[in-house]
Amino acid sequence: MMGHTQWLFFMRIALSFLLASLAGEGVCRLVKMPRITGYALAGLLLGPLGLDWVDGEDLPDFRFLVELTLTLLLFELGVRVSLRWLKYNPWVIASSLLESGATFVAVFAVLMMMGLEVKSALSIAVIAMGTSPVIVLRMVTEMRAQGQVTQRLLVLCGLNTVYSVVCFYLIMGWFQGTFHGQWFMALFHSFYLLVGSLGMGLVLALSFKLLRRMFELSDEQSAPVLFGLLLLLQALLVALELPVFLAPLLGGVLAKHFDPRPHLWPRHFGTAGSILTIILFMMTGSLLTRNEFMVGAETAMIVLLVRFLAKGLGVLLLGPISGLNLRQSLVLGVVLIPMAEIPLVELMDMRTLYPQMGVKILPIVFSMMNVLEVLGPMAVQWGLIRSQEFQEKSS
Amino acid sequence: MKLPPFSSSRPLTLGVELELQLVNTYDYDLVDSTTDLLRLLKKKGKDWDVKPEITQGMVEMATGICVSHADVFEQLDEIRQGIVECADRLDIGVCGGGTHAFQHWSERRIYDTPRFDQLSSLYGYLAKQFTIFGQHVHVGCDNADEALTLLHLLSGFIPHFIALSASSPFVQGNDTGFHSARLNSVFSFPLSGRAPLIETWDSFGEYFDSMMATGIVKSMKDFYWDIRPKPEYGTIEVRVMDTPLTIEKAARIAAFIQSLTRYLTLERPYSPRETDYLVYTFNRFQACRFGYEGVYVNPRNHEHRSLSEEILDTLNKIEPHAIALKADEACAALRREVLTASGDAGWLRQQHAKTQSLAEVVQKQCARWRA
């Protein structure tokens, strides 16, 4: 028997989910905006800024689902990053390093100028480097996009997510060192997290290859096998206290490298993926409180502008030499706008670990994230239409 | 537009065009990257002849004027390497084959030029269905009347060309049972098939003018014939071949056509006549459907034999000419393929049986094209 509160909670979440999914369909049909913009708007409406049906308190209940969504999507994204291509065209790595580096430096500089202290500025700069894999993959799938801009968007997104997560853990190590004075332990811990993630990624890629030799994983019926494998990975990462994000992404990259055969399974994750995405977007919308928004909004807007310019200039500078034309390079700068939800869970941890810093950073980051969850998908949609890389629906 | 005069070109010279597939390296579907590839190729600053084709995801490469099999091979090889290098920088795959195994025609996008747009509005979905990949071989002729006669003499060997080059068993994700299913897409065009039996350029000009007067053609390009004259180049163009999986094979087929032309012009074993065409579509269908195993009906003595026997017999007849043109090694390689009943269509089916995945078949096609 369900208790009274459980019943209420369940009903609240179910209604929220239905509302979010309807909002997605609504904006898609009525104003031709991306579905996920609708989910994000619904999240804001349902969150503390609106009806207050869902809030940060609910996150722990969904943490597992949020992490599972990210695991699936990050593995899928990793598979789209071809190391062979980076070898044939090193300018792609160069433009990735430039856009991420420029973003980091510019955001850090502007925050320092605005009077933030070093640690907060560093944290936000590191988070700002990453492009959202969730938005990017959902949009590419929804628009069935393909072409050079799409290809580079996926690869740059995969790479800057890696930089962002790696730097985030290094910085967290440094914070722990200064807070507690245990330098060796802190750095060792960061090292453990990064090397451990790489190791688990390797294990994932090798088991993927082994399983693929036994079953045809492109087959629709075998998709659950892969799903199970990723679920097991998630469990292992939790058990080893490793971050859940780096390993699936690196695992995807290595899987593609070890086994360059076509990867057709993401098609079969479609429905499950979109359901999980709705939950993820609902949750981010629900994190932002009115108070935080008032505190963080202004800084967030300035940081977003600087971030956009840095990324845009980064890819524009090296776009042509890496094989794009000028227009494609400009569009690429726009489609890189969505910001990663990856640090979401980490930030929630940070809120409890370092409450003082949390108070400074979270309002800015949550405001940025929420703005970009609404605008980011629209930017990607605009860019992919502009570069003519979307497919018309076949019916 | 009037029919242009037929320029003279050196007899037995060759020009080869190959239409290629551009695919992504992720699920190996066709990818709209023609524009990007052409841009990178242009930057290389070579005078390679690489052009867009009707839909994005197709590209056509062509040799200049070649005198021999070796010449054709070297030119094709150089352009192929250039294309592969540029494709690598874009992370796309390039391959031969007459059809893409599983692309969906409705997802194709017309390459944006006035001519392709006009074709698309006239032919509707047929234009997108025309995402097929062929090898065209131009043969030089010193005068127009010779060219027209040669066109009709070569028409008898259409089944040979089809069977030797067949590389399109899969269409829209299914095994069609055909060796060359590509040609089925050509047949749906109203002006496809054979050219009318006219052997002088003056009469041909009259025919062309009357067609123009009806308003259904504007230029030679509106005829989708299996073999058609190309007056601007002073050549006739054999257009029935699928793009083979390798340039080695493409060069051999060009060498075969060259040797056959020499045989037909120097020995002139017979003259063309209308009754030769009684069996034309039957023979052509048999070659498309069954490859070497198809039935070949000789229009002169009405003998039925297998196409493989017929091809081997032809190879024997043209051997001295192949030797004279240094095309004998190429012809010997084709002979071995016929004797062992191996060809590109069969190879594709084998790969599919092995991997059970058409996407993997395309991946292997790309690997063969590079090698």
PDB file of all heavy atoms in Angstrom, chain A residues 303-336:
ATOM      1  N   VAL A 303      27.887  36.732 -18.810  1.00  0.00           N
ATOM      2  CA  VAL A 303      28.740  35.569 -19.058  1.00  0.00           C
ATOM      3  C   VAL A 303      28.305  34.856 -20.334  1.00  0.00           C
ATOM      4  O   VAL A 303      29.126  34.452 -21.155  1.00  0.00           O
ATOM      5  CB  VAL A 303      28.706  34.589 -17.860  1.00  0.00           C
ATOM      6  CG1 VAL A 303      29.437  33.309 -18.201  1.00  0.00           C
ATOM      7  CG2 VAL A 303      29.322  35.246 -16.638  1.00  0.00           C
ATOM      8  N   LEU A 304      27.000  34.732 -20.531  1.00  0.00           N
ATOM      9  CA  LEU A 304      26.503  34.038 -21.724  1.00  0.00           C
ATOM     10  C   LEU A 304      26.932  34.752 -22.995  1.00  0.00           C
ATOM     11  O   LEU A 304      27.314  34.114 -23.986  1.00  0.00           O
ATOM     12  CB  LEU A 304      24.980  33.931 -21.683  1.00  0.00           C
ATOM     13  CG  LEU A 304      24.428  32.878 -20.729  1.00  0.00           C
ATOM     14  CD1 LEU A 304      22.919  32.809 -20.836  1.00  0.00           C
ATOM     15  CD2 LEU A 304      25.043  31.511 -21.038  1.00  0.00           C
ATOM     16  N   LEU A 305      26.879  36.062 -22.957  1.00  0.00           N
ATOM     17  CA  LEU A 305      27.267  36.834 -24.131  1.00  0.00           C
ATOM     18  C   LEU A 305      28.754  36.629 -24.431  1.00  0.00           C
ATOM     19  O   LEU A 305      29.147  36.354 -25.574  1.00  0.00           O
ATOM     20  CB  LEU A 305      26.965  38.322 -23.891  1.00  0.00           C
ATOM     21  CG  LEU A 305      27.187  39.214 -25.105  1.00  0.00           C
ATOM     22  CD1 LEU A 305      26.155  38.908 -26.173  1.00  0.00           C
ATOM     23  CD2 LEU A 305      27.139  40.693 -24.724  1.00  0.00           C
ATOM     24  N   VAL A 306      29.565  36.733 -23.368  1.00  0.00           N
ATOM     25  CA  VAL A 306      31.004  36.549 -23.540  1.00  0.00           C
ATOM     26  C   VAL A 306      31.314  35.135 -24.032  1.00  0.00           C
ATOM     27  O   VAL A 306      32.124  34.928 -24.937  1.00  0.00           O
ATOM     28  CB  VAL A 306      31.723  36.812 -22.187  1.00  0.00           C
ATOM     29  CG1 VAL A 306      33.159  36.377 -22.255  1.00  0.00           C
ATOM     30  CG2 VAL A 306      31.610  38.271 -21.830  1.00  0.00           C
ATOM     31  N   ARG A 307      30.605  34.180 -23.467  1.00  0.00           N
ATOM     32  CA  ARG A 307      30.806  32.776 -23.851  1.00  0.00           C
ATOM     33  C   ARG A 307      30.471  32.585 -25.328  1.00  0.00           C
ATOM     34  O   ARG A 307      31.218  31.950 -26.083  1.00  0.00           O
ATOM     35  CB  ARG A 307      29.906  31.900 -22.983  1.00  0.00           C
ATOM     36  CG  ARG A 307      29.911  30.424 -23.341  1.00  0.00           C
ATOM     37  CD  ARG A 307      28.989  29.667 -22.387  1.00  0.00           C
ATOM     38  NE  ARG A 307      28.948  28.250 -22.671  1.00  0.00           N
ATOM     39  CZ  ARG A 307      28.065  27.687 -23.484  1.00  0.00           C
ATOM     40  NH1 ARG A 307      27.173  28.425 -24.117  1.00  0.00           N
ATOM     41  NH2 ARG A 307      28.093  26.388 -23.690  1.00  0.00           N
ATOM     42  N   PHE A 308      29.361  33.168 -25.758  1.00  0.00           N
ATOM     43  CA  PHE A 308      28.935  33.042 -27.150  1.00  0.00           C
ATOM     44  C   PHE A 308      29.985  33.637 -28.083  1.00  0.00           C
ATOM     45  O   PHE A 308      30.373  33.024 -29.094  1.00  0.00           O
ATOM     46  CB  PHE A 308      27.581  33.728 -27.328  1.00  0.00           C
ATOM     47  CG  PHE A 308      27.167  33.909 -28.753  1.00  0.00           C
ATOM     48  CD1 PHE A 308      27.084  32.814 -29.606  1.00  0.00           C
ATOM     49  CD2 PHE A 308      26.854  35.170 -29.254  1.00  0.00           C
ATOM     50  CE1 PHE A 308      26.715  32.982 -30.933  1.00  0.00           C
ATOM     51  CE2 PHE A 308      26.476  35.330 -30.571  1.00  0.00           C
ATOM     52  CZ  PHE A 308      26.410  34.244 -31.405  1.00  0.00           C
ATOM     53  N   LEU A 309      30.480  34.828 -27.718  1.00  0.00           N
ATOM     54  CA  LEU A 309      31.479  35.479 -28.570  1.00  0.00           C
ATOM     55  C   LEU A 309      32.770  34.663 -28.623  1.00  0.00           C
ATOM     56  O   LEU A 309      33.365  34.483 -29.691  1.00  0.00           O
ATOM     57  CB  LEU A 309      31.767  36.898 -28.062  1.00  0.00           C
ATOM     58  CG  LEU A 309      30.600  37.881 -28.227  1.00  0.00           C
ATOM     59  CD1 LEU A 309      30.933  39.221 -27.591  1.00  0.00           C
ATOM     60  CD2 LEU A 309      30.263  38.054 -29.709  1.00  0.00           C
ATOM     61  N   ALA A 310      33.195  34.140 -27.476  1.00  0.00           N
ATOM     62  CA  ALA A 310      34.448  33.381 -27.436  1.00  0.00           C
ATOM     63  C   ALA A 310      34.341  32.118 -28.282  1.00  0.00           C
ATOM     64  O   ALA A 310      35.221  31.800 -29.092  1.00  0.00           O
ATOM     65  CB  ALA A 310      34.793  33.032 -25.995  1.00  0.00           C
ATOM     66  N   LYS A 311      33.261  31.388 -28.118  1.00  0.00           N
ATOM     67  CA  LYS A 311      33.080  30.162 -28.896  1.00  0.00           C
ATOM     68  C   LYS A 311      32.958  30.487 -30.383  1.00  0.00           C
ATOM     69  O   LYS A 311      33.580  29.835 -31.233  1.00  0.00           O
ATOM     70  CB  LYS A 311      31.828  29.412 -28.428  1.00  0.00           C
ATOM     71  CG  LYS A 311      32.031  28.686 -27.107  1.00  0.00           C
ATOM     72  CD  LYS A 311      30.953  27.637 -26.875  1.00  0.00           C
ATOM     73  CE  LYS A 311      31.225  26.861 -25.603  1.00  0.00           C
ATOM     74  NZ  LYS A 311      32.424  26.027 -25.662  1.00  0.00           N
ATOM     75  N   GLY A 312      32.175  31.511 -30.660  1.00  0.00           N
ATOM     76  CA  GLY A 312      31.954  31.896 -32.055  1.00  0.00           C
ATOM     77  C   GLY A 312      33.259  32.284 -32.742  1.00  0.00           C
ATOM     78  O   GLY A 312      33.568  31.800 -33.830  1.00  0.00           O
ATOM     79  N   LEU A 313      34.043  33.113 -32.072  1.00  0.00           N
ATOM     80  CA  LEU A 313      35.310  33.550 -32.660  1.00  0.00           C
ATOM     81  C   LEU A 313      36.277  32.376 -32.793  1.00  0.00           C
ATOM     82  O   LEU A 313      36.988  32.247 -33.781  1.00  0.00           O
ATOM     83  CB  LEU A 313      35.952  34.643 -31.792  1.00  0.00           C
ATOM     84  CG  LEU A 313      35.414  36.043 -32.027  1.00  0.00           C
ATOM     85  CD1 LEU A 313      36.021  37.022 -31.032  1.00  0.00           C
ATOM     86  CD2 LEU A 313      35.734  36.485 -33.468  1.00  0.00           C
ATOM     87  N   GLY A 314      36.277  31.516 -31.776  1.00  0.00           N
ATOM     88  CA  GLY A 314      37.170  30.357 -31.796  1.00  0.00           C
ATOM     89  C   GLY A 314      36.959  29.502 -33.041  1.00  0.00           C
ATOM     90  O   GLY A 314      37.902  29.182 -33.770  1.00  0.00           O
ATOM     91  N   VAL A 315      35.700  29.151 -33.307  1.00  0.00           N
ATOM     92  CA  VAL A 315      35.456  28.278 -34.462  1.00  0.00           C
ATOM     93  C   VAL A 315      35.520  29.045 -35.781  1.00  0.00           C
ATOM     94  O   VAL A 315      35.824  28.473 -36.820  1.00  0.00           O
ATOM     95  CB  VAL A 315      34.119  27.508 -34.363  1.00  0.00           C
ATOM     96  CG1 VAL A 315      34.204  26.433 -33.303  1.00  0.00           C
ATOM     97  CG2 VAL A 315      32.959  28.437 -34.092  1.00  0.00           C
ATOM     98  N   LEU A 316      35.267  30.353 -35.703  1.00  0.00           N
ATOM     99  CA  LEU A 316      35.322  31.148 -36.936  1.00  0.00           C
ATOM    100  C   LEU A 316      36.773  31.273 -37.423  1.00  0.00           C
ATOM    101  O   LEU A 316      37.054  31.167 -38.613  1.00  0.00           O
ATOM    102  CB  LEU A 316      34.737  32.537 -36.676  1.00  0.00           C
ATOM    103  CG  LEU A 316      34.658  33.467 -37.883  1.00  0.00           C
ATOM    104  CD1 LEU A 316      33.748  32.877 -38.940  1.00  0.00           C
ATOM    105  CD2 LEU A 316      34.152  34.839 -37.484  1.00  0.00           C
ATOM    106  N   LEU A 317      37.681  31.449 -36.457  1.00  0.00           N
ATOM    107  CA  LEU A 317      39.084  31.619 -36.823  1.00  0.00           C
ATOM    108  C   LEU A 317      39.652  30.396 -37.528  1.00  0.00           C
ATOM    109  O   LEU A 317      40.353  30.507 -38.524  1.00  0.00           O
ATOM    110  CB  LEU A 317      39.903  31.905 -35.562  1.00  0.00           C
ATOM    111  CG  LEU A 317      40.127  33.382 -35.273  1.00  0.00           C
ATOM    112  CD1 LEU A 317      40.704  33.566 -33.886  1.00  0.00           C
ATOM    113  CD2 LEU A 317      41.077  33.957 -36.316  1.00  0.00           C
ATOM    114  N   LEU A 318      39.361  29.220 -36.977  1.00  0.00           N
ATOM    115  CA  LEU A 318      39.975  28.014 -37.547  1.00  0.00           C
ATOM    116  C   LEU A 318      39.012  27.231 -38.437  1.00  0.00           C
ATOM    117  O   LEU A 318      39.370  26.195 -38.978  1.00  0.00           O
ATOM    118  CB  LEU A 318      40.506  27.120 -36.423  1.00  0.00           C
ATOM    119  CG  LEU A 318      41.698  27.701 -35.665  1.00  0.00           C
ATOM    120  CD1 LEU A 318      42.215  26.723 -34.644  1.00  0.00           C
ATOM    121  CD2 LEU A 318      42.814  28.085 -36.632  1.00  0.00           C
ATOM    122  N   GLY A 319      37.781  27.738 -38.596  1.00  0.00           N
ATOM    123  CA  GLY A 319      36.813  27.023 -39.428  1.00  0.00           C
ATOM    124  C   GLY A 319      37.312  26.790 -40.850  1.00  0.00           C
ATOM    125  O   GLY A 319      37.407  25.643 -41.305  1.00  0.00           O
ATOM    126  N   PRO A 320      37.650  27.862 -41.562  1.00  0.00           N
ATOM    127  CA  PRO A 320      38.029  27.689 -42.963  1.00  0.00           C
ATOM    128  C   PRO A 320      39.221  26.748 -43.161  1.00  0.00           C
ATOM    129  O   PRO A 320      39.206  25.910 -44.060  1.00  0.00           O
ATOM    130  CB  PRO A 320      38.374  29.110 -43.402  1.00  0.00           C
ATOM    131  CG  PRO A 320      37.520  29.980 -42.529  1.00  0.00           C
ATOM    132  CD  PRO A 320      37.486  29.277 -41.199  1.00  0.00           C
ATOM    133  N   ILE A 321      40.226  26.849 -42.293  1.00  0.00           N
ATOM    134  CA  ILE A 321      41.391  25.990 -42.501  1.00  0.00           C
ATOM    135  C   ILE A 321      41.054  24.533 -42.185  1.00  0.00           C
ATOM    136  O   ILE A 321      41.686  23.593 -42.688  1.00  0.00           O
ATOM    137  CB  ILE A 321      42.596  26.489 -41.668  1.00  0.00           C
ATOM    138  CG1 ILE A 321      43.872  25.886 -42.217  1.00  0.00           C
ATOM    139  CG2 ILE A 321      42.438  26.191 -40.207  1.00  0.00           C
ATOM    140  CD1 ILE A 321      45.107  26.567 -41.695  1.00  0.00           C
ATOM    141  N   SER A 322      40.008  24.312 -41.380  1.00  0.00           N
ATOM    142  CA  SER A 322      39.639  22.929 -41.070  1.00  0.00           C
ATOM    143  C   SER A 322      38.643  22.377 -42.081  1.00  0.00           C
ATOM    144  O   SER A 322      38.165  21.258 -41.945  1.00  0.00           O
ATOM    145  CB  SER A 322      39.059  22.845 -39.661  1.00  0.00           C
ATOM    146  OG  SER A 322      37.756  23.397 -39.646  1.00  0.00           O
ATOM    147  N   GLY A 323      38.330  23.161 -43.117  1.00  0.00           N
ATOM    148  CA  GLY A 323      37.526  22.619 -44.215  1.00  0.00           C
ATOM    149  C   GLY A 323      36.094  23.119 -44.281  1.00  0.00           C
ATOM    150  O   GLY A 323      35.303  22.611 -45.056  1.00  0.00           O
ATOM    151  N   LEU A 324      35.744  24.131 -43.479  1.00  0.00           N
ATOM    152  CA  LEU A 324      34.397  24.690 -43.570  1.00  0.00           C
ATOM    153  C   LEU A 324      34.436  25.952 -44.422  1.00  0.00           C
ATOM    154  O   LEU A 324      35.498  26.535 -44.607  1.00  0.00           O
ATOM    155  CB  LEU A 324      33.885  25.073 -42.185  1.00  0.00           C
ATOM    156  CG  LEU A 324      33.617  23.969 -41.179  1.00  0.00           C
ATOM    157  CD1 LEU A 324      33.121  24.553 -39.877  1.00  0.00           C
ATOM    158  CD2 LEU A 324      32.601  22.970 -41.721  1.00  0.00           C
ATOM    159  N   ASN A 325      33.264  26.385 -44.910  1.00  0.00           N
ATOM    160  CA  ASN A 325      33.254  27.708 -45.518  1.00  0.00           C
ATOM    161  C   ASN A 325      32.879  28.719 -44.438  1.00  0.00           C
ATOM    162  O   ASN A 325      32.616  28.344 -43.280  1.00  0.00           O
ATOM    163  CB  ASN A 325      32.336  27.769 -46.737  1.00  0.00           C
ATOM    164  CG  ASN A 325      30.874  27.615 -46.388  1.00  0.00           C
ATOM    165  OD1 ASN A 325      30.471  27.771 -45.246  1.00  0.00           O
ATOM    166  ND2 ASN A 325      30.068  27.275 -47.378  1.00  0.00           N
ATOM    167  N   LEU A 326      32.855  29.990 -44.808  1.00  0.00           N
ATOM    168  CA  LEU A 326      32.676  31.036 -43.801  1.00  0.00           C
ATOM    169  C   LEU A 326      31.318  30.925 -43.120  1.00  0.00           C
ATOM    170  O   LEU A 326      31.203  31.029 -41.898  1.00  0.00           O
ATOM    171  CB  LEU A 326      32.809  32.409 -44.482  1.00  0.00           C
ATOM    172  CG  LEU A 326      33.287  33.513 -43.565  1.00  0.00           C
ATOM    173  CD1 LEU A 326      34.649  33.187 -42.986  1.00  0.00           C
ATOM    174  CD2 LEU A 326      33.324  34.832 -44.328  1.00  0.00           C
ATOM    175  N   ARG A 327      30.291  30.682 -43.924  1.00  0.00           N
ATOM    176  CA  ARG A 327      28.956  30.617 -43.358  1.00  0.00           C
ATOM    177  C   ARG A 327      28.834  29.446 -42.383  1.00  0.00           C
ATOM    178  O   ARG A 327      28.277  29.579 -41.295  1.00  0.00           O
ATOM    179  CB  ARG A 327      27.918  30.487 -44.466  1.00  0.00           C
ATOM    180  CG  ARG A 327      26.542  30.410 -43.836  1.00  0.00           C
ATOM    181  CD  ARG A 327      25.441  30.715 -44.770  1.00  0.00           C
ATOM    182  NE  ARG A 327      25.324  29.715 -45.804  1.00  0.00           N
ATOM    183  CZ  ARG A 327      24.173  29.491 -46.442  1.00  0.00           C
ATOM    184  NH1 ARG A 327      23.121  30.190 -46.149  1.00  0.00           N
ATOM    185  NH2 ARG A 327      24.106  28.598 -47.390  1.00  0.00           N
ATOM    186  N   GLN A 328      29.392  28.291 -42.795  1.00  0.00           N
ATOM    187  CA  GLN A 328      29.333  27.129 -41.906  1.00  0.00           C
ATOM    188  C   GLN A 328      30.044  27.422 -40.594  1.00  0.00           C
ATOM    189  O   GLN A 328      29.596  27.013 -39.524  1.00  0.00           O
ATOM    190  CB  GLN A 328      29.970  25.914 -42.585  1.00  0.00           C
ATOM    191  CG  GLN A 328      29.118  25.337 -43.713  1.00  0.00           C
ATOM    192  CD  GLN A 328      29.861  24.281 -44.509  1.00  0.00           C
ATOM    193  OE1 GLN A 328      31.055  24.416 -44.768  1.00  0.00           O
ATOM    194  NE2 GLN A 328      29.167  23.230 -44.894  1.00  0.00           N
ATOM    195  N   SER A 329      31.196  28.152 -40.671  1.00  0.00           N
ATOM    196  CA  SER A 329      31.949  28.463 -39.454  1.00  0.00           C
ATOM    197  C   SER A 329      31.127  29.349 -38.529  1.00  0.00           C
ATOM    198  O   SER A 329      31.113  29.158 -37.311  1.00  0.00           O
ATOM    199  CB  SER A 329      33.252  29.168 -39.796  1.00  0.00           C
ATOM    200  OG  SER A 329      33.934  28.496 -40.818  1.00  0.00           O
ATOM    201  N   LEU A 330      30.418  30.318 -39.120  1.00  0.00           N
ATOM    202  CA  LEU A 330      29.575  31.212 -38.313  1.00  0.00           C
ATOM    203  C   LEU A 330      28.445  30.427 -37.647  1.00  0.00           C
ATOM    204  O   LEU A 330      28.174  30.588 -36.456  1.00  0.00           O
ATOM    205  CB  LEU A 330      28.983  32.313 -39.202  1.00  0.00           C
ATOM    206  CG  LEU A 330      29.915  33.480 -39.511  1.00  0.00           C
ATOM    207  CD1 LEU A 330      29.338  34.331 -40.631  1.00  0.00           C
ATOM    208  CD2 LEU A 330      30.125  34.335 -38.264  1.00  0.00           C
ATOM    209  N   VAL A 331      27.807  29.575 -38.441  1.00  0.00           N
ATOM    210  CA  VAL A 331      26.695  28.791 -37.917  1.00  0.00           C
ATOM    211  C   VAL A 331      27.182  27.867 -36.790  1.00  0.00           C
ATOM    212  O   VAL A 331      26.518  27.705 -35.770  1.00  0.00           O
ATOM    213  CB  VAL A 331      26.035  27.973 -39.050  1.00  0.00           C
ATOM    214  CG1 VAL A 331      25.096  26.929 -38.484  1.00  0.00           C
ATOM    215  CG2 VAL A 331      25.275  28.893 -39.997  1.00  0.00           C
ATOM    216  N   LEU A 332      28.370  27.312 -36.966  1.00  0.00           N
ATOM    217  CA  LEU A 332      28.912  26.405 -35.949  1.00  0.00           C
ATOM    218  C   LEU A 332      29.036  27.123 -34.608  1.00  0.00           C
ATOM    219  O   LEU A 332      28.744  26.558 -33.555  1.00  0.00           O
ATOM    220  CB  LEU A 332      30.268  25.856 -36.411  1.00  0.00           C
ATOM    221  CG  LEU A 332      30.919  24.812 -35.504  1.00  0.00           C
ATOM    222  CD1 LEU A 332      30.006  23.615 -35.293  1.00  0.00           C
ATOM    223  CD2 LEU A 332      32.247  24.342 -36.093  1.00  0.00           C
ATOM    224  N   GLY A 333      29.452  28.399 -34.660  1.00  0.00           N
ATOM    225  CA  GLY A 333      29.549  29.170 -33.429  1.00  0.00           C
ATOM    226  C   GLY A 333      28.205  29.280 -32.722  1.00  0.00           C
ATOM    227  O   GLY A 333      28.129  29.265 -31.494  1.00  0.00           O
ATOM    228  N   VAL A 334      27.135  29.371 -33.502  1.00  0.00           N
ATOM    229  CA  VAL A 334      25.799  29.516 -32.914  1.00  0.00           C
ATOM    230  C   VAL A 334      25.308  28.192 -32.327  1.00  0.00           C
ATOM    231  O   VAL A 334      24.765  28.152 -31.223  1.00  0.00           O
ATOM    232  CB  VAL A 334      24.806  30.029 -33.975  1.00  0.00           C
ATOM    233  CG1 VAL A 334      23.387  30.057 -33.410  1.00  0.00           C
ATOM    234  CG2 VAL A 334      25.207  31.414 -34.455  1.00  0.00           C
ATOM    235  N   VAL A 335      25.522  27.105 -33.063  1.00  0.00           N
ATOM    236  CA  VAL A 335      24.960  25.836 -32.585  1.00  0.00           C
ATOM    237  C   VAL A 335      25.704  25.303 -31.358  1.00  0.00           C
ATOM    238  O   VAL A 335      25.216  24.416 -30.676  1.00  0.00           O
ATOM    239  CB  VAL A 335      24.904  24.755 -33.687  1.00  0.00           C
ATOM    240  CG1 VAL A 335      23.911  25.143 -34.757  1.00  0.00           C
ATOM    241  CG2 VAL A 335      26.276  24.485 -34.274  1.00  0.00           C
ATOM    242  N   LEU A 336      26.870  25.878 -31.063  1.00  0.00           N
ATOM    243  CA  LEU A 336      27.607  25.439 -29.862  1.00  0.00           C
ATOM    244  C   LEU A 336      27.057  26.087 -28.593  1.00  0.00           C
ATOM    245  O   LEU A 336      27.534  25.817 -27.495  1.00  0.00           O
ATOM    246  CB  LEU A 336      29.096  25.791 -30.004  1.00  0.00           C
ATOM    247  CG  LEU A 336      29.932  24.875 -30.898  1.00  0.00           C
ATOM    248  CD1 LEU A 336      31.310  25.473 -31.120  1.00  0.00           C
ATOM    249  CD2 LEU A 336      30.068  23.484 -30.294  1.00  0.00           C
TER     250      LEU A 336
END
